[in-house]
Amino acid sequence: MTLWWAIAVVCVGCYAFKLAGLAAPRWVLEHPVVSRFAELVPVALLAALVAVQMFSEQGRLHFDPARTAGLAAAVVALLLRAPFLVVLAIAAVITALVRVFSG
Amino acid sequence: MEETSHRAAAIRDGLGVGVAVGLAGLAFGAAAVTAGMSIAQACVLSLLAFTGASQFALAGAVGAGGDLAASAAGALLLGGRNTLYGLRLAGLLQAQGPRKLLVAQGVIDETTAVALAQPSPAAARAGFTATFAAVYVTWNLTTLGGAVGTSFLGDPRMLGLDVVGPATFLALLWPRLVRSAELRWLAAGGAAIALTATPFLPPGVPVLLSAVAVLVVMVR
């Protein structure tokens, strides 16, 4: 498989996944179990995504002090009700600063 | 009147997310080229796959020298969550016919999070559209910029860009976590499951596995 083929498969597959959810028949959408599942799922997946992007690298658990400091700063900013973009800027700046000072 | 201000707030949220995601697009362009992809390959992924986590997963696996079929499978698994988002959004967005084909491309983490954070269906639709447009344009432009500029930008990690993705998702989740203890437990459970599974399963699978936490909450 060449890299271009892998990219083509990912592009087509990702679009098909998106369309499948939107195009599902009405009775699936209106079933209370399905709608509660679909309501809760983004919370679990987004939280998992945060955890994995924070604490793993190439399939292994990995603790990155700078990135952790950046996310901790973001949590403080969120607790202080800082605007969205300020939260992200603080996270990036703190991460970069910790990297600079820890060499 | 109130509805108008809800929609204006939703559009502001969407544009804010678009700018933020632009930073992550720079990181993706840089990561893709660093992993050995061409500038064209990085741009095609952003234009057509258009789902950040899958793109990062593919670049990461290719860069680590992973088997291409397994790399593609991991990226696809991560894209599987968009089906669940689509199920959630279908009733809100009410897209019909050919419009559905266009709207489908916009079903991603960020548009879902913004749409679901809105107080009314009209505001949800406005938020979805604004986020989709803002993210699509910035994500593609910054992918190109990041890919072309990698050699000039240096290491995106030195600029702290690798924390922007997780911080974005956390900020989007935050309002729901503040409101509900049940959702805080669900988020903690999902994160714990994904981290526990990470050393044992290929990239992409642990995140999907976190949906088990949803089943636990529903059965309880």
Side-chain angles (χ1 to χ4, degrees), chain B residues 22-108:
Chain B
L23 294 174
L26 276 181
F28 172 70
V33 169
T34 311
M37 288 185 187
S38 67
I39 294 170
Q41 287 169 330
C43 290
V44 164
L45 274 170
S46 284
L47 284 166
L48 299 182
F50 186 58
T51 177
S54 296
Q55 296 179 229
F56 272 112
L58 184 64
V62 167
D67 172 65
L68 282 177
S71 305
L76 281 177
L77 274 176
L78 212 43
R81 72 190 182 292
N82 290 331
T83 301
L84 301 173
Y85 295 158
L87 278 175
R88 178 74 182 91
L89 290 174
L92 270 179
L93 299 178
Q94 302 282 354
Q96 300 301 334
R99 252 202 67 198
K100 188 181 277 183
L101 297 177
L102 177 65
V103 165
Q105 181 68 327
V107 177
I108 55 171

Side-chain angles (χ1 to χ4, degrees), chain B residues 6 35 45 47 53 77 87 91 102 115 131 138 159 167 172 200 213 215 217:
Chain B
H6 283 158
L45 274 170
L47 284 166
L77 274 176
L87 278 175
L102 177 65
T131 310
T138 51
L159 301 175
L172 289 173
F200 309 107
L215 296 179
V217 167

